[in-house]
Amino acid sequence: MNPSLNLFLIGPTGAGKTTLGAWLAPRLSLPCVDLDRVIEAQAGQPVREIFAHEGEASFRARESAALLEHSTHAGVLLVCGGGIVTHADNRAWLRQRGFVLWLRVSAPTRARRLADDATRPLLAGDDLLARLQQLDAARAIWYRECADAVLDETTDENIDALGARALALLHVHWRRGAAITGAPA
């Protein structure tokens, strides 16, 4: 077990981190911070525009700064972008500052979910499935390196069923600090 007051959700784009984070936060009595929304608010523009105007390196620097800032809080649920694990410092911060739950969802499932989504800059192009598979091949080792627990997909699950599975997994693997009431033992 990785004892921590913080819970960090990681996984590839389209895994459902934002949806699950919003579902879990009130049930765990934690504020939910979506790092992509933080970055967008600070930049005054959406992620795709940051990529277009400043490039991926600039976005990753913003992402690292947001992670550094928000991971130092005690008692927060952070929803991390799919590429958060691409920098070694981020992986170290994730492991040191929170319990890390990896949402592992297959590329075909995510391709179905993202088929009509034009907002994700790294997915631009004709073959969405191939691009997702490329990203998975590059990043899976880093997700595994950070993860304290893995929540595997079930493609026909609704958010309540997925959330219940996540809570059960957290109850078994995550030892929360005493400062949070109702914490699993």
Side-chain angles (χ1 to χ4, degrees):
M1 284 192 185
N2 174 5
S4 177
L5 293 173
N6 296 327
L7 174 62
F8 302 152
L9 302 183
I10 65 168
T13 188
K17 299 178 301 286
T18 297
T19 301
L20 182 61
W23 190 94
L24 285 172
R27 289 159 178 87
L28 295 171
S29 300
L30 294 172
C32 183
V33 177
D34 186 316
L35 291 182
D36 281 351
R37 300 302 77 80
V38 167
I39 295 164
E40 288 177 336
Q42 291 171 343
Q45 57 187 338
V47 169
R48 71 179 179 281
E49 294 298 321
I50 298 169
F51 267 76
H53 296 115
E54 300 177 21
E56 183 177 1
S58 176
F59 175 79
R60 296 292 171 216
R62 289 174 180 270
E63 184 176 56
S64 293
L67 175 62
L68 180 59
E69 176 187 348
H70 290 279
S71 66
T72 59
H73 298 273
V76 66
L77 190 161
L78 287 186
V79 174
C80 302
I84 196 87
V85 296
T86 60
H87 285 70
D89 286 344
N90 292 351
R91 295 191 303 273
W93 292 332
L94 288 166
R95 288 190 312 270
Q96 293 166 4
R97 297 178 178 168
F99 182 90
V100 181
L101 180 61
W102 174 17
L103 279 64
R104 188 167 54 189
V105 178
S106 72
T109 297
R110 294 184 351 263
R112 282 191 302 278
R113 292 177 183 174
L114 299 168
D116 297 323
D117 187 340
T119 65
R120 300 171 196 249
L122 292 180
L123 302 183
D126 291 334
D127 194 341
L128 175 60
L129 179 58
R131 186 65 185 131
L132 289 169
Q133 290 169 328
Q134 281 179 318
L135 289 169
D136 288 354
R139 296 175 176 175
I141 192 168
W142 294 323
Y143 291 132
R144 190 172 300 110
E145 175 187 327
C146 295
D148 292 303
V150 179
L151 181 64
D152 282 311
E153 74 175 298
T154 301
T155 57
D156 58 353
E157 257 179 336
N158 65 35
I159 187 58
D160 291 321
L162 180 66
R165 265 195 323 117
L167 285 175
L169 186 66
L170 292 170
H171 183 72
V172 169
H173 295 285
W174 181 28
R175 186 173 38 125
R176 292 173 71 180
I180 306 291
T181 56

